Amino acid sequence: MPTKTQPDEKLTVAEVCAELKISPSTFYDWRLKERAPHCLTLPNKSLRILRSELDRWLSTCEDDAR
């Protein structure tokens, strides 16, 4: 049974990669090319992606494919 997610849920890069079925290197390549969803940088330099930002980004990818 899927869990209900919150729009302000902060996902790790690993979680986003698993959901999109991509490698971390692909995610970081997209990030360098400014094609990845917006990330938050924590004080320890690790990245987080808000669930709402990932959903918004996926929506724009869908729009671009049409």
Side-chain angles (χ1 to χ4, degrees), residues 10-35:
K10 292 166 190 69
L11 304 168
T12 65
V13 171
E15 291 170 329
V16 170
C17 289
E19 184 170 329
L20 297 177
K21 296 181 173 68
I22 61 170
S23 68
S25 64
T26 297
F27 179 85
Y28 288 112
D29 182 55
W30 289 351
R31 191 164 149 73
L32 282 173
K33 294 176 181 174
E34 299 182 359
R35 294 182 180 170

Side-chain angles (χ1 to χ4, degrees), residues 41-61:
T41 304
L42 300 179
N44 66 359
K45 304 297 184 207
S46 63
L47 300 175
R48 295 294 183 271
I49 300 92
L50 292 175
R51 165 57 63 189
S52 58
E53 174 59 22
L54 179 61
D55 292 343
R56 185 205 62 76
W57 178 82
L58 285 171
S59 176
T60 65
C61 292

